Amino acid sequence: MKRHVYLEDIPLDEAQAAFRAALQATGWWQPLAAEEVPVAQAHGRITATAVWAKLSSPHYHASAMDGYALRAQDSEGATETQPLQFTLVENWETPPTEPRPIRPVNTGQPLPPWANAVVMIEHTQPVELANGRSGIEIRASLPPWQHVRPMGEDMVATELVLPANHKLRPVDLGALAGSGHATVSVYRQPRVAIIPTGSELVSAEVVAESGIQPGQIIEYNSMVLAAQVAEWGGLPTRWPIVPDEFNAIQTAVRQAAQNHDLILLNAGSSAGSEDYTAHVVQSLGQLLVHGVAVRPGHPVILGLLEIRDRKLGSENQSPISNLQSHIPIVGVPGYPVSAALTGEIFVEPLLARWQGQRPFQPQTITATLTRKLNSHTGDDDFVRVAVGEVNGRFVTTPISRGAGVITSLVRADGIVRIPRFSEGAEAGSDVTVHLYRDARELAQTILAIGSHDLTLDLIAQFLAERGGVRLASANVGSLGGLVALRRGECHLAGSHLLDPETGIYNQNYVRRYLPDEDVVALTLVGREQGWLVPPGNPNEIQGWAAAARDDVQFVNRQRGAGTRVLLDYELGKLGIQPEQVQGYGREEYTHLAVAAAVASGTADFGLGIQAAARALQLDFVPLAHEQYDLVMTRQTYESDRIWPLLDLLHDDDFKTAVAALPGYDVSVMGKTTEI
């Protein structure tokens, strides 16, 4: 087929307006049709109409206690010293003729029509009356309706139980049933087809059984999108993976459109040689938008399909019968973060609309930005951030911005939205964070900024298992961590900075960057640093001098990282200049990222810890032993928030877990140095 390639970004608000206008014109900008469902199956559904009570609840005067029913006026004058005696009766319907009649009742039983109060059984005493009949003695008077649930106490027939457009909670189901309803009218749940495309894709199940080959990519976007749709009240259908073939994709879309309300076509939305989404949409209907000025996620496609052979019926009835052939479709970018954010930006508001709801509005807070945030001036930028509360204020730091880094969303506490035509935000400025977590959880977060270490992940795991406090971390290098600590932007900084003159780790740097602070350095681990090389060390990389070889490619750590400081120190001792190192300018932010570069073949070696080599099945050439500290102010060290972490450093199970990492020394763990 002859392909016409185009991709033109338009502003987010214009894209949303164009999509909304098309949906309004075709009848899709209103709630879906209603359906009756059993109350017991209605949890989480949205009421389509107001619900009025059919019955009062309770629908009779009911005893609220185990005890005795009586007339309240008969108890007047009863005291501890002058008790009154009542005659036990069996009469139910008509007023008894006995003076001061009383009748036993249990909780929930109707009151006799002649009674208007209940005395608790523990406040009575059985007696034998002078006439030989059985009686009950009470020692306090009762007001009318004491211990009685009067008819309609909960709700009265014809009273409003629930309004329309209300999301049903567990307690609402009880109110519905209690007011006489066995079924409830709710909006039909949107049916959403999710079609992953890509000849390189394989399922997680296939990988688990057969392994994965270079060039293959595990398909999980459809899983994420389906979970989002279900969370937002829809009914997702995950389609089998469709190869990058125009006819195959067109067929899958046509089939899905027959009995779904919305189609999410994942990947193939850019302008590459195998990106067919726009052409499929155009061939089956109207292409409204191809490209939105938003990052990540700019190659979004919005369109309307016209499928005239839809299968109709009660299960598949569209909201407007004469326009049922028009089906909205969203071309979702293939990068995982772009896909997830496309769901939040375009899909959730539409599903909410179809169910009579407003789009979800996350909780927001104002936080201080810890480092400068650059942004592409032509796009609305959605930046993932970590957040913590430090010294009574919220601080936030950006984390990985790659559109393919799904773990950045896993770790993110929220999103900072940088509007179009803004160049970003300066360090120290206040920004609005749209939260993924409750603000109360952030108040129980230890925020670590600084050098990367695998032990931090173990700390986060152990703290999570024990509950109460969580650890969030951002990797900016040892020097960046100390600067953040000086600014009051974190609770602790991970650091392993070697002083070339003394050979001592961290202390001189702490004095230099925090001269006016009372600081505590808590040793976490000792670590082996060395060359990360491919299995078998085919290039025979040995010793520090190997960095200057011109036949191998190096991958470096970022400026300010302790590993970079160590490298520069050792190269300086040998008189090796940075320009002599092939690849010195290529920077990665973690040990694992360096290991990944070597494992992928884009670099021949890099400097890192042994555990990173083991993680990616690389070989390791040891070069140096270093000390990794957690640096914090004394105020933080003595605070309640940090104590769970301090306790963890003396926990045998935690030490065993860290010691199992290759190249780690836990004998120094927990050592405290006051600086």
Side-chain angles (χ1 to χ4, degrees):
M1 97 175 250
K2 183 178 179 180
R3 301 183 66 249
H4 174 59
V5 177
Y6 60 97
L7 176 64
E8 182 179 358
D9 288 352
I10 65 173
L12 176 59
D13 55 351
E14 290 184 21
Q16 292 170 323
F19 198 34
R20 180 170 61 251
L23 294 172
Q24 288 172 334
T26 52
W28 283 99
W29 197 246
Q30 64 180 27
L32 299 182
E35 62 181 4
E36 288 283 329
V37 301
V39 168
Q41 300 173 18
H43 178 234
R45 302 292 294 274
I46 313 297
T47 55
T49 60
V51 182
W52 308 86
K54 290 183 177 180
L55 301 173
S56 297
S57 177
H59 59 278
Y60 57 88
H61 298 319
S63 174
M65 297 287 176
D66 293 339
Y68 296 90
L70 69 160
R71 295 181 299 213
Q73 59 269 29
D74 290 343
S75 68
E76 292 179 6
T79 65
E80 284 289 333
T81 56
Q82 293 182 323
L84 293 179
Q85 295 181 340
F86 287 71
T87 303
L88 276 170
V89 299
E90 298 296 329
N91 199 316
W92 185 270
E93 293 292 340
T94 59
T97 57
E98 293 84 349
R100 291 197 292 271
I102 197 168
R103 191 184 191 285
V105 289
N106 293 325
T107 302
Q109 282 188 324
L111 259 63
W114 49 266
N116 65 354
V118 172
V119 59
M120 296 169 62
I121 193 169
E122 53 265 40
H123 294 167
T124 66
Q125 180 68 38
V127 295
E128 184 176 341
L129 303 178
N131 59 9
R133 296 184 61 177
S134 297
I136 295 294
E137 186 175 87
I138 69 173
R139 297 178 178 271
S141 60
L142 282 76
W145 307 107
Q146 178 78 23
H147 302 315
V148 174
R149 293 192 64 212
M151 183 178 71
E153 177 191 53
D154 193 351
M155 63 191 87
V156 179
T158 73
E159 181 181 353
L160 178 66
V161 181
L162 294 170
N165 299 329
H166 176 80
K167 187 173 184 178
L168 292 170
R169 305 162 299 173
V171 293
D172 298 326
L173 306 187
L176 289 171
S179 61
H181 292 274
T183 64
V184 60
S185 177
V186 294
Y187 292 120
R188 181 173 62 77
Q189 291 180 277
R191 300 175 306 277
V192 182
I194 303 161
I195 306 175
T197 68
S199 301
E200 74 282 9
L201 299 181
V202 291
S203 70
E205 292 78 9
V206 169
V207 172
E209 182 176 334
S210 307
I212 191 167
Q213 302 300 318
Q216 292 182 325
I217 298 175
I218 299 175
E219 197 290 302
Y220 55 78
N221 280 350
S222 67
M223 195 181 305
V224 174
L225 291 167
Q228 286 181 320
V229 167
E231 186 174 278
W232 299 329
L235 296 173
T237 303
R238 290 177 63 200
W239 223 255
I241 297 170
V242 180
D244 283 319
E245 299 171 6
F246 177 85
N247 291 334
I249 297 172
Q250 186 187 60
T251 298
V253 170
R254 188 187 296 276
Q255 290 175 346
Q258 290 180 350
N259 54 9
H260 289 85
D261 304 301
L262 173 66
I263 295 174
L264 304 182
L265 188 56
N266 183 219
S269 61
S270 292
S273 61
E274 295 185 347
D275 291 324
Y276 293 108
T277 295
H279 306 283
V280 168
V281 173
Q282 198 169 41
S283 72
L284 296 176
Q286 181 182 6
L287 183 66
L288 302 169
V289 173
H290 188 187
V292 181
V294 59
R295 289 179 183 267
H298 77 97
V300 174
I301 287 172
L302 305 174
L304 281 177
L305 306 177
E306 191 168 348
I307 309 294
R308 298 195 177 278
D309 56 348
R310 291 193 77 208
K311 298 175 182 178
L312 304 178
S314 59
E315 275 285 312
N316 304 308
Q317 192 65 43
S318 294
I320 303 297
S321 59
N322 64 334
L323 295 172
Q324 52 199 302
S325 61
H326 295 87
I327 310 301
I329 183 170
V330 177
V332 180
Y335 278 121
V337 177
S338 299
L341 290 178
T342 295
E344 294 180 10
I345 296 169
F346 292 101
V347 179
E348 190 279 333
L350 181 57
L351 298 191
R353 182 81 183 183
W354 284 349
Q355 297 173 91
Q357 302 292 286
R358 295 180 181 272
F360 173 69
Q361 294 295 328
Q363 183 182 6
T364 62
I365 60 170
T366 298
T368 302
L369 195 61
T370 63
R371 58 187 174 93
K372 184 176 181 179
L373 183 58
N374 295 316
S375 180
H376 193 280
T377 58
D379 298 326
D380 285 289
D381 204 352
F382 289 67
V383 182
R384 290 138 278 170
V385 295
V387 182
E389 186 187 52
V390 182
N391 299 327
R393 63 171 182 149
F394 285 113
V395 296
T396 184
T397 188
I399 55 181
S400 176
R401 300 179 68 175
V405 186
I406 188 67
T407 52
S408 66
L409 278 179
V410 174
R411 295 170 50 212
D413 297 318
I415 294 285
V416 171
R417 300 177 184 175
I418 305 298
R420 288 184 85 215
F421 306 123
S422 169
E423 295 183 356
E426 295 293 330
S429 62
D430 286 342
V431 293
T432 298
V433 182
H434 300 257
L435 292 178
Y436 284 150
R437 306 181 190 275
D438 192 289
R440 292 170 296 183
E441 185 178 357
L442 299 178
Q444 297 299 317
T445 296
I446 299 171
L447 183 60
I449 297 179
S451 173
H452 168 252
D453 186 74
L454 301 180
T455 306
L456 295 176
D457 294 333
L458 282 176
I459 291 175
Q461 172 191 331
F462 272 76
L463 290 178
E465 290 175 352
R466 300 179 181 197
V469 175
R470 60 183 285 268
L471 177 74
S473 58
N475 306 318
V476 300
S478 295
L479 284 177
L482 294 182
V483 170
L485 190 64
R486 182 183 66 197
R487 294 174 177 168
E489 296 169 346
C490 62
H491 297 106
L492 56 89
S495 181
H496 58 112
L497 292 166
L498 174 66
D499 182 358
E501 296 182 0
T502 65
I504 298 175
Y505 278 88
N506 299 319
Q507 294 185 27
N508 284 348
Y509 289 91
V510 170
R511 294 189 186 100
R512 186 186 312 166
Y513 283 91
L514 295 99
D516 301 322
E517 290 282 355
D518 186 2
V519 174
V520 175
L522 189 67
T523 300
L524 183 59
V525 288
R527 308 188 306 187
E528 287 288 340
Q529 286 266 29
W531 297 135
L532 311 184
V533 297
N537 194 5
N539 295 301
E540 298 182 350
I541 305 293
Q542 299 290 337
W544 291 105
R549 285 172 50 176
D550 58 9
D551 62 333
V552 287
Q553 194 71 22
F554 180 67
V555 56
N556 207 351
R557 288 294 303 279
Q558 82 279 16
R559 186 185 302 273
T563 299
R564 174 78 163 260
V565 172
L566 174 64
L567 174 73
D568 291 344
Y569 167 66
E570 294 293 346
L571 296 185
K573 285 166 52 177
L574 296 175
I576 298 174
Q577 301 301 312
E579 55 267 23
Q580 295 177 257
V581 180
Q582 307 297 316
Y584 183 90
R586 178 183 175 181
E587 299 180 347
E588 297 291 350
Y589 275 80
T590 68
H591 294 281
L592 289 175
V594 170
V598 176
S600 67
T602 61
D604 296 310
F605 70 119
L607 184 61
I609 58 175
Q610 187 177 356
R614 173 73 64 83
L616 293 186
Q617 300 177 336
L618 300 174
D619 277 0
F620 181 75
V621 180
L623 295 170
H625 184 85
E626 67 174 6
Q627 178 177 315
Y628 183 93
D629 290 342
L630 300 178
V631 183
M632 66 197 78
T633 65
R634 176 163 293 281
Q635 179 182 0
T636 296
Y637 178 74
E638 295 177 349
S639 69
D640 292 339
R641 183 178 308 198
I642 210 72
W643 273 109
L645 187 153
L646 301 182
D647 288 343
L648 196 59
L649 302 189
H650 300 282
D651 182 89
D652 289 339
D653 290 340
F654 176 71
K655 286 186 175 181
T656 299
V658 175
L661 297 172
Y664 275 77
D665 174 18
V666 298
S667 66
V668 293
M669 183 177 288
K671 176 185 174 183
T672 301
T673 303
E674 298 183 5
I675 304 175

